[in-house]
Amino acid sequence: MAIIAASSVEKIFRQPKRQSGFGGALRSLFSREHTEVRAVDGISFAIEGGEAAGYLGPNGAGKSTMIKMMTGILVPSSGTVEVLGREPHSNRITNAAEIGVVFGQRSQLWWDLPVRDSFDLNRHIYDIPASRFADNLARLTSMLDMAGYIDRPVRQLSLGQRMRAEIAMALLHDPKILFLDEPTIGLDVVAKDVVRKFLAEVNRERGTTIILTTHDLVDIEEICPRLIMVDDGKLLFDGELRHLRTALGSRRRLKLEFGTDPGAITLKTAQLVTDEGLAKHFLLESQQTSILDVLTELGSGHDLKDVKLEEPNIEEVIRTFYQNKPALAGARP
Amino acid sequence: MRAASYPAFALTAFQSRLVYRNQVWASAFGDLVSIFARIAILTAAFAGAAQVDGITLPEMVTYALLSGPLLYWEYSRVLYDVGDAVRTGDVAVFLLKPLHYPSYLLSTHSGHFAFECVAIVVPVALIVGFTVGLLPPASLFHGLMFFPYWAVSWLILFILACLCGLLAFWLLTAFSLEWFLMAIMSLFSGAIIPLWFLPTPLATLFGYLPFAWISYYPAAVYLGKLDVTATWLHLGIGLFWLTVLSAAVLALWAKARHRLIVQGG
Ligand SMILES: Nc1ncnc2c1ncn2[C@@H]1O[C@H](COP(=O)(O)OP(=O)(O)O)[C@@H](O)[C@H]1O
Ligand SMILES: [Mg+2]
């Protein structure tokens, strides 16, 4: 059974239209004009217990808005969100006890207190039995290598240390689902790596369901087998990362190098994209096409020196995908 | 969540203040200076007279020291705590936890208040008591009643600060609200001029507004300016105001929360 189900979720933000200048400010006090932002636009998906799903999209795609709706601090304008069989907002307190949430850009630790004291407050808030708390604290402290700073006040920590503490804090009460909104934002390479490895392990070893938003594809590659891709509030792709290339119909690239320029070449199995004379770049027509098919069609007699096949780079695929999205919208597996 | 988490917040707030020990010295020193300044002004105003309008100088000095937590408690801490959380959207963090935000605020700030009582109010009172001399309470009854009055005084002040802080949700600035609250407080609460020096119609009016419970009544009760019946009656009225103001805070919080979950802050 799905533990998170979103069906045709929409979130429209209405903001009073602001006009510039003092007169404008006065006028907007009385006007009823609004601008509408459709932050989430008809999104449906279901996530099973134990999954790790990455919610990928550029800035303003509606990722945070979706996380807020799943955690119950924002209500959808239409459609429904269910988490653990409940509507999260109307069951806020019950829901809150069973989930853990990390916001990359918002701290939940008490600024002036040592990290340990924030953890201890969480023990009270979530009513964690003392022995379980001690076990979890010991395990998280060693896994996230926090022993060196757990007794230091939060305000003295580096961003990487703080983020590890935030994640530990969200896991102390053994939540069934962990939501993370851009957990790696602003971290350096090493800190990112620690966070990614840890999250993958928590998901694998403890079976905690993980939903994380990011605009960094590497987060998804290392943590989440499942990718949900959004832009402009709309769902673009939902499936396994390794199926993305096929789903997007991205084609492999073939580079043929010749000793002497054979002149123009047209093939049925591959399409010429750039012709540099001695080097010619082709795109293979389909996933089934092999190099052999191309070489067979090309035939002998050309002064062929070298053949190079390139898998499309996934970042590049996604970039072209976003650039061509009007044409590709609806191209789902 | 269990109720035990709320005392834990109070305790944590108390402990967190120990970190900023220098601030304690600064506050205690500032309070001492301002009290001695007020005493000096009062002494000059009495100009050797035994009493003014039936009030003696020692009574006035005692009043100046006891006129409620207003003087010693940094209520602006509440105002900024709420105002900032609301303005930056950090208040959402509290909605992610299984807890009730107003109760969290109450327990946290009672921890701050307890700290300030121990670290600032009692030492300052002792210093003033030993140097200038404090009057004893008018009677055992009045002395005992001072404590519930002081509690009501602090709670009303706390709730007014919360109200102003929550207003930042709509007005987006806690700064001007602090000035507003401070102006109202010094005018209506009797902190600067006790109500008994005011013209009767004004004193009667101010005597029924909730602000009078912040400064005037706790000190007036201690000095025995209210008889037994009036003391009980006014405690009742104070509790009534407390109920009304709490209801207002809860209603405003519900409205703010609604706005937060619909408009996202
Ligand atoms: N409280 C709000 N009021 C008005 N517009 C908002 C609000 N929150 C987000 N938006 C708008 O909704 C869109 C999606 O925002 P968000 O979910 O934060 O994107 P992301 O997290 O993917 O960067 C953006 O255009 C943003 O400006
Ligand atoms: Mg975001």
Side-chain angles (χ1 to χ4, degrees):
Chain A
M1 201 202 80
I3 62 170
I4 301 177
S7 94
S8 316
V9 178
E10 273 189 16
K11 181 71 203 178
I12 298 167
F13 290 111
R14 279 162 60 85
Q15 294 229 304
K17 211 173 221 153
R18 288 204 203 284
Q19 284 150 343
S20 59
F22 180 68
L26 270 186
R27 243 174 290 131
S28 51
L29 266 183
F30 299 103
S31 97
R32 294 280 101 213
E33 267 186 283
H34 288 269
T35 44
E36 290 197 344
V37 179
R38 204 173 275 270
V40 172
D41 192 355
I43 287 195
S44 304
F45 58 80
I47 289 168
E48 306 292 323
E51 271 198 85
Y55 208 83
L56 180 81
N59 286 333
K63 305 183 295 294
S64 299
T65 306
M66 195 65 214
I67 288 269
K68 286 178 186 162
M69 289 192 281
M70 291 190 279
T71 51
I73 55 175
L74 208 54
V75 288
S77 308
S78 71
T80 57
V81 178
E82 268 198 8
V83 173
L84 297 163
R86 287 183 295 257
E87 199 276 298
H89 167 252
S90 49
N91 301 285
R92 182 178 73 83
I93 299 250
T94 335
N95 190 48
E98 297 196 351
I99 63 172
V101 189
V102 175
F103 282 117
Q105 283 156 310
R106 198 153 270 173
S107 180
Q108 299 185 48
L109 298 160
W110 272 261
W111 197 244
D112 287 328
L113 301 180
V115 179
R116 190 189 293 282
D117 291 12
S118 283
F119 289 172
D120 209 51
L121 280 174
N122 253 27
R123 177 168 70 85
H124 291 295
I125 296 173
Y126 292 93
D127 200 5
I128 310 169
S131 65
R132 188 149 64 94
F133 178 77
D135 288 350
N136 283 352
L137 183 59
R139 181 172 46 82
L140 291 165
T141 305
S142 83
M143 280 176 85
L144 286 164
D145 197 13
M146 296 188 298
Y149 62 84
I150 193 165
D151 290 309
R152 297 229 315 261
V154 174
R155 66 191 138 76
Q156 295 177 1
L157 304 187
S158 73
L159 186 60
Q161 292 172 326
R162 212 202 73 204
M163 189 52 65
R164 281 183 274 156
E166 301 272 359
I167 294 175
M169 173 121 144
L171 286 170
L172 282 169
H173 61 290
D174 289 321
K176 298 197 174 92
I177 311 175
L178 179 61
F179 293 95
L180 305 111
D181 191 15
E182 310 244 13
T184 56
I185 200 161
L187 300 187
D188 64 34
V189 192
V190 181
K192 272 186 178 165
D193 197 52
V194 173
V195 166
R196 286 168 181 153
K197 292 227 162 65
F198 171 76
L199 291 175
E201 188 172 344
V202 165
N203 173 250
R204 218 174 34 237
E205 314 277 302
R206 302 193 63 89
T208 309
T209 308
I210 291 184
I211 319 290
L212 68 86
T213 72
T214 182
H215 57 256
D216 187 342
L217 188 72
V218 185
D219 286 347
I220 314 258
E221 284 179 322
E222 302 212 347
I223 310 165
C224 310
R226 163 125 174 235
L227 168 68
I228 297 174
M229 209 160 123
V230 291
D231 189 27
D232 234 358
K234 294 192 188 62
L235 188 68
L236 295 184
F237 174 84
D238 178 359
E240 287 185 38
L241 179 60
R242 60 197 167 87
H243 290 161
L244 182 64
R245 289 188 189 111
T246 356
L248 300 186
S250 69
R251 295 183 292 175
R252 288 165 297 162
R253 230 172 220 282
L254 184 69
K255 184 180 178 191
L256 301 181
E257 282 180 286
F258 300 93
T260 51
D261 189 352
I265 292 179
T266 34
L267 298 170
K268 279 203 290 294
T269 47
Q271 181 198 351
L272 182 70
V273 280
T274 29
D275 191 344
E276 297 166 5
L278 289 180
K280 299 186 196 302
H281 300 261
F282 295 87
L283 283 176
L284 298 191
E285 285 299 349
S286 81
Q287 286 293 321
Q288 279 72 45
T289 315
S290 71
I291 311 183
L292 205 59
D293 297 333
V294 182
L295 296 183
T296 312
E297 194 191 350
L298 183 67
S300 54
H302 303 286
D303 185 11
L304 189 59
K305 277 258 157 49
D306 199 7
V307 180
K308 217 185 259 163
L309 184 68
E310 289 168 351
E311 285 294 332
N313 170 299
I314 191 79
E315 294 260 13
E316 198 179 297
V317 170
I318 289 177
R319 197 163 42 242
T320 29
F321 185 49
Y322 280 125
Q323 278 160 1
N324 302 337
K325 65 182 183 257
L328 287 162
R332 285 194 226 148
Chain B
M1 171 196 58
R2 58 175 174 186
S5 63
Y6 295 106
F9 292 136
L11 191 65
T12 307
F14 189 97
Q15 283 168 349
S16 72
R17 294 298 292 283
L18 294 170
V19 178
Y20 298 101
R21 244 159 293 165
N22 291 339
Q23 273 183 13
V24 173
W25 293 117
S27 299
F29 184 71
D31 285 344
L32 262 184
V33 169
S34 92
I35 286 180
F36 278 115
R38 280 162 43 123
I39 291 172
I41 294 170
L42 288 168
T43 313
F46 272 74
Q51 36 179 259
V52 174
D53 289 352
I55 307 295
T56 64
L57 180 59
E59 281 181 327
M60 252 337 278
V61 170
T62 307
Y63 182 94
L65 186 71
L66 294 185
S67 49
L70 170 64
L71 294 168
Y72 315 114
W73 183 53
E74 302 168 40
Y75 59 87
S76 56
R77 191 184 282 277
V78 178
L79 208 140
Y80 283 109
D81 193 351
V82 181
D84 287 350
V86 154
R87 219 168 16 80
T88 60
D90 278 348
V91 69
V93 165
F94 293 99
L95 295 179
L96 290 173
K97 296 182 184 297
L99 52 78
H100 183 237
Y101 182 57
S103 308
Y104 161 80
L105 281 176
L106 178 62
S107 37
T108 299
H109 288 284
S110 63
H112 285 299
F113 181 54
F115 177 83
E116 279 153 30
C117 281
V118 172
I120 300 172
V121 176
V122 173
V124 165
L126 287 177
I127 292 173
V128 175
F130 279 116
T131 49
V132 186
L134 268 185
L135 289 179
S139 70
L140 181 63
F141 170 77
H142 287 102
L144 289 176
M145 285 305 272
F146 175 71
F147 292 100
Y149 265 89
W150 228 47
V152 169
S153 161
W154 180 73
L155 285 169
I156 288 182
L157 188 54
F158 166 77
I159 286 173
L160 285 174
C162 282
L163 271 177
C164 285
L166 280 175
L167 282 176
F169 226 110
W170 291 271
L171 303 176
L172 290 177
T173 158
F175 182 68
S176 50
L177 287 166
E178 188 194 354
W179 283 95
F180 177 72
L181 188 61
M182 205 168 79
I184 286 198
M185 216 82 79
S186 35
L187 196 62
F188 295 116
S189 73
I192 295 174
I193 310 169
L195 299 193
W196 55 60
F197 288 141
L198 293 177
T200 317
L202 269 189
T204 313
L205 174 67
F206 289 2
Y208 283 108
L209 294 179
F211 311 105
W213 273 265
I214 294 173
S215 285
Y216 174 71
Y217 285 118
V221 163
Y222 180 93
L223 290 171
K225 298 292 166 188
L226 279 76
D227 62 28
V228 175
T229 326
T231 303
W232 284 113
L233 177 70
H234 283 84
L235 187 62
I237 304 175
L239 289 173
F240 164 78
W241 272 123
L242 198 57
T243 317
V244 170
L245 291 170
S246 310
V249 161
L250 292 178
L252 207 60
W253 169 237
K255 228 175 144 56
R257 231 185 74 180
H258 180 76
R259 191 189 132 121
L260 196 72
I261 58 144
V262 172
Q263 284 184 21

